[in-house]
Amino acid sequence: MSLRLPAFAAFAFVLFVTPLRAQPFTFSSVKPVSLNELEYGQVVFFDFNRDGMLDLLATGNSANLPPFVPRAYVALSQGAFNFADGSEGLVFSERALGQGLWQSSLVVADFDLDGYVDVVVSGRIHNAANFETRPLEGITHVYRGSASGSFAPVSSELLGIYGGSVSTADIDGDGDEDLFITGLRTQEEIAAALYRNNDGTFETIPLPFEPLAMGDAEWADIDNDGDLDLALSGVTENGVPKTKVYRNDGLGNFTEDRVNIPGLLFSAMDWGDYDNDGDLDLALSGARYHRTKYFEPVVQVWRNQSGQLSNSGIEIPAVLDGDVAWGDYDSDGGLDLLVVGSTDVRSGRSGRLYRNEEGNLVPRIAVPGVAASNAVWGDYDGDNDLDLVVTGSSVNINPLMRLYRNDSRAVNKVPVAPSGLEAHEDDGVVTLDWQAGADEETPAAALNYNIRIGTAAGTDNVMPAYSDLSTGRRLYPTRGNAGIQTSWRLQSLPAGDYFWSVQAIDQSFVASSWSEEGSFTVSAGGGKLTSVENVVPRSTILDVGYPNPFNERVTIPFSLDAPSTVEISVYNVLGSLVKRLVNDSLEPGNHQVQWTGTDERNMPVAPGLYMVRMNAGAAHHVQHLTLIR
């Protein structure tokens, strides 16, 4: 879930620190003063202005009774402050983000690859005091980031939802992050949309997932095959709770996994390797229907063994309408689990941190029980251990935000960077391999990895890393973009030279320095060629490209009824060759190739009319394309 607020008034707030003890570790509760506390929303740690201190991005409702007050703000950290009485606080500068939304979800990503993180946020503005004059419907906004940590709204036609999830993943393997939105479009309609990211603009593509609301969507490479899969939970338009897992074949094609995870609504999920076996496991919470209680809360951990999920049987007191979050708070190399939420549909609340003791999750530290909640880990004070922020609705039905500083004396050392980088390119598919990093606390099998790729040395304008490009320090305290395995695969990269590096990240999201930089070249001569079916067509044809007209990328389907030497090229209206897309011997079947509007030197061509010509044996075909800018 997530939330947000109005546009660019700034003020400062101070966070006072009061001790809260729990053995064997101590956390200090940092109570916000003058900061709007939130429920029904989301909070994110990110160093937006890259000053070495984690900032906050938060959205949600800040009023406990109607009319509700939706908000969204960026809070830039200004550092510690010592008061006259000897107490310590944190000073932030708060800036409103834009239109306030609640029952909302947000995501941060550098969509346009300019080096500054952007924000997509969905939710609703309805404040429960004007049902007759303002219908309940979802809204989605996009904001572009800048070097100062400020954000500017940009126009978009993205699906508007509330009570759902907004998430990102590079589903097509081209290095940039695509966008998935699912939730309530109106009170009567649940909708979803999947968007391909084309240089910062979003192109709608066919939806392979069932639309669900009041749930969660979490991406991870669960089968360690170098692409991102999806866990999706929530309720259907017919009121049926579902939890689904979809496997990615590496080309952006998804197949539903027949795993019997209970269907949940008011749900939350998180992937993490709690048993340190090199596979990402799934924690989830939520509600299922019950004959007498109507809703029954659920918390389960599903163990991943070589890509196969099964219920671990770990018993954890159940919650719904809350959050689950993996993080190694005691720096011993094992993932611990935070569980917060409601114990029933009334006023019951629960919050507990479970310590991982040799694979057993043991309750150790109490945190505020909050419903309509969100919880995230992050090292805001830079001491290499995980601190915590929690938002939600308290037992008194008041919005709440609490920041907890981890005062553990355990020393978490920085991992050792990976080595032995190798890159291989085969017909446009690039495979990156490296030797594992090392860490004194996290076992090698449980380390995860983060890749940066750019078109010049030391850059990440192809695959963003969300780490400092010099030191490797994480700007965004999450798992790395390559997951646990020591290999990654990309495709559809334009021809040219690329530079890359990789870092190791431990279970506390502490990152190593960057490895020595490697490089690779994607050869000129075409777009990415893929086979889309195994059925042998009855004839050889060149289909019309789509979309047409296009402005960033066009897909050109073609079919072969027999093995053929195929040449597909693009020509301008004067008949001059612009780009050769295919020049290869291919098997019979249905194929497709993409053109990104560039010439043989990989330079953008002028808008206008172009011809696509295919020669395949005795067959000759021509189609027309219109490029717009």
Side-chain angles (χ1 to χ4, degrees):
M1 303 177 87
S2 87
L3 297 162
R4 39 177 339 232
L5 186 117
F8 289 115
F11 64 89
F13 63 83
V14 178
L15 301 179
F16 294 97
V17 177
T18 57
L20 177 147
R21 300 187 185 280
Q23 297 300 328
F25 297 90
T26 301
F27 282 75
S28 293
S29 175
V30 184
K31 182 181 179 182
V33 177
S34 300
L35 171 64
N36 289 291
E37 300 187 81
L38 302 172
E39 63 182 7
Y40 291 102
Q42 189 169 344
V43 63
V44 169
F45 271 128
F46 197 103
D47 184 3
F48 293 108
N49 56 2
R50 305 195 178 194
D51 63 354
M53 297 180 288
L54 287 179
D55 310 303
L56 290 173
L57 173 65
T59 69
N61 167 52
S62 63
N64 65 337
L65 294 172
F68 297 135
V69 182
R71 299 187 182 276
Y73 54 78
V74 179
L76 300 180
S77 176
Q78 306 295 303
F81 182 84
N82 294 316
F83 295 93
D85 63 0
S87 62
E88 181 186 346
L90 289 174
V91 180
F92 286 78
S93 173
E94 182 183 311
R95 301 176 180 178
L97 179 66
Q99 184 181 40
L101 299 176
W102 67 296
Q103 287 192 329
S104 53
S105 179
L106 65 83
V107 71
V108 294
D110 183 8
F111 291 109
D112 54 1
L113 300 176
D114 65 349
Y116 306 110
V117 72
D118 312 305
V119 176
V120 175
V121 59
S122 294
R124 67 179 176 116
I125 60 174
H126 203 294
N127 63 12
N130 52 4
F131 279 90
E132 298 301 323
T133 60
R134 182 175 291 164
L136 258 68
E137 56 185 19
I139 298 172
T140 296
H141 293 300
V142 180
Y143 299 88
R144 296 294 187 204
S146 67
S148 66
S150 62
F151 295 88
V154 295
S155 61
S156 74
E157 297 182 357
L158 299 178
L159 171 69
I161 60 102
Y162 67 95
S165 178
V166 177
S167 59
T168 61
D170 179 15
I171 64 170
D172 51 4
D174 62 354
D176 59 20
E177 291 174 86
D178 309 299
L179 182 66
F180 175 51
I181 299 175
T182 185
L184 285 158
R185 189 172 187 173
T186 66
Q187 284 178 286
E188 293 81 25
E189 181 185 0
I190 293 176
L194 185 62
Y195 300 93
R196 177 178 286 118
N197 182 1
N198 290 328
D199 297 327
T201 62
F202 298 105
E203 170 195 341
T204 305
I205 58 177
L207 181 68
F209 315 126
E210 182 173 8
L212 299 176
M214 309 308 293
D216 199 4
E218 294 291 333
W219 298 86
D221 183 8
I222 65 175
D223 45 11
N224 291 336
D225 63 350
D227 53 53
L228 291 174
D229 313 297
L230 175 67
L232 178 63
S233 66
V235 65
T236 69
E237 210 164 88
N238 297 324
V240 180
K242 294 188 176 181
T243 301
K244 297 191 170 191
V245 174
Y246 294 91
R247 308 266 182 165
N248 187 350
D249 69 353
L251 301 175
N253 303 311
F254 290 86
T255 303
E256 185 179 343
D257 197 356
R258 299 298 179 182
V259 58
N260 193 30
I261 301 176
L264 300 177
L265 72 162
F266 306 127
S267 51
M269 300 182 292
D270 196 22
W271 292 101
D273 183 14
Y274 85 93
D275 53 2
N276 290 338
D277 66 349
D279 298 303
L280 290 172
D281 311 299
L282 180 65
L284 70 162
S285 69
R288 55 188 171 194
Y289 294 135
H290 189 273
R291 287 179 300 129
T292 59
K293 295 187 292 185
Y294 192 56
F295 288 124
E296 178 186 23
V298 174
V299 173
Q300 293 183 355
V301 175
W302 283 67
R303 189 181 180 196
N304 183 352
Q305 294 176 286
S306 302
Q308 301 302 311
L309 295 170
S310 61
N311 193 339
S312 69
I314 294 175
E315 295 184 0
I316 296 175
V319 298
L320 57 85
D321 198 21
D323 207 358
V324 291
W326 294 108
D328 180 14
Y329 79 87
D330 54 1
S331 302
D332 66 351
L335 278 180
D336 311 300
L337 182 64
L338 177 71
V339 179
V340 294
S342 177
T343 57
D344 53 47
V345 294
R346 298 179 180 86
S347 60
R349 300 288 189 270
S350 176
R352 183 70 63 176
L353 182 53
Y354 294 84
R355 187 170 184 240
N356 187 339
E357 299 182 3
E358 298 182 352
N360 297 310
L361 297 176
V362 180
R364 288 300 184 195
I365 298 177
V367 298
V370 283
S373 52
N374 181 229
V376 292
W377 296 102
D379 178 19
Y380 81 82
D381 55 359
D383 61 355
N384 285 356
D385 57 30
L386 284 177
D387 310 302
L388 176 67
V389 63
V390 179
T391 67
S393 176
S394 72
V395 68
N396 298 318
I397 322 298
N398 291 317
L400 175 146
M401 177 182 284
R402 292 290 183 271
L403 181 62
Y404 290 94
R405 186 184 66 205
N406 188 343
D407 294 325
S408 167
R409 296 183 179 179
V411 177
N412 183 23
K413 296 183 179 178
V414 174
V416 176
S419 59
L421 276 63
E422 295 184 359
H424 307 278
E425 190 259 356
D426 182 15
D427 195 22
V429 177
V430 177
T431 302
L432 305 176
D433 296 288
W434 57 90
Q435 295 176 10
D439 188 66
E440 290 194 17
E441 293 81 27
T442 300
L447 288 172
N448 62 95
Y449 296 94
N450 196 44
I451 301 172
R452 64 162 175 83
I453 304 175
T455 54
T459 64
D460 67 345
N461 63 326
V462 173
M463 188 169 181
Y466 308 124
S467 293
D468 186 282
L469 296 179
S470 298
T471 66
R473 181 186 59 84
R474 291 293 277 159
L475 306 176
Y476 191 18
T478 61
R479 288 194 316 272
N481 54 24
I484 289 177
Q485 72 282 351
T486 56
S487 179
W488 198 248
R489 187 177 64 241
L490 299 107
Q491 59 186 353
S492 302
L493 294 176
D497 296 326
Y498 295 87
F499 300 84
W500 70 291
S501 185
V502 63
Q503 61 181 163
I505 299 177
D506 70 13
Q507 300 279 44
S508 297
F509 310 133
V510 174
S512 73
S513 60
W514 291 105
S515 68
E516 290 189 15
E517 190 168 69
S519 64
F520 60 90
T521 300
V522 176
S523 353
K528 173 67 185 124
L529 175 67
T530 60
S531 175
V532 295
E533 288 183 18
N534 293 322
V535 179
V536 177
R538 296 183 178 180
S539 60
T540 293
I541 58 173
L542 175 67
D543 286 329
V544 178
Y546 64 92
N548 191 20
F550 75 103
N551 63 358
E552 297 291 345
R553 179 187 284 113
V554 61
T555 299
I556 305 165
F558 62 100
S559 302
L560 304 175
D561 62 1
S564 305
T565 299
V566 180
E567 179 182 343
I568 300 178
S569 300
V570 179
Y571 296 82
N572 61 23
V573 292
L574 300 177
S576 301
L577 175 67
V578 175
K579 181 96 168 185
R580 183 170 286 106
L581 302 179
V582 179
N583 187 16
D584 205 356
S585 296
L586 301 178
E587 294 299 314
N590 297 303
H591 308 268
Q592 62 186 31
V593 67
Q594 291 184 335
W595 181 43
T596 56
T598 58
D599 60 18
E600 289 286 85
R601 298 172 301 159
N602 208 38
M603 299 296 293
V605 298
L609 182 66
Y610 292 87
M611 295 177 292
V612 180
R613 182 180 301 165
M614 180 177 83
N615 298 320
H620 307 281
H621 299 277
V622 173
Q623 293 285 358
H624 293 86
L625 299 173
T626 301
L627 172 62
I628 58 177
R629 297 291 190 188

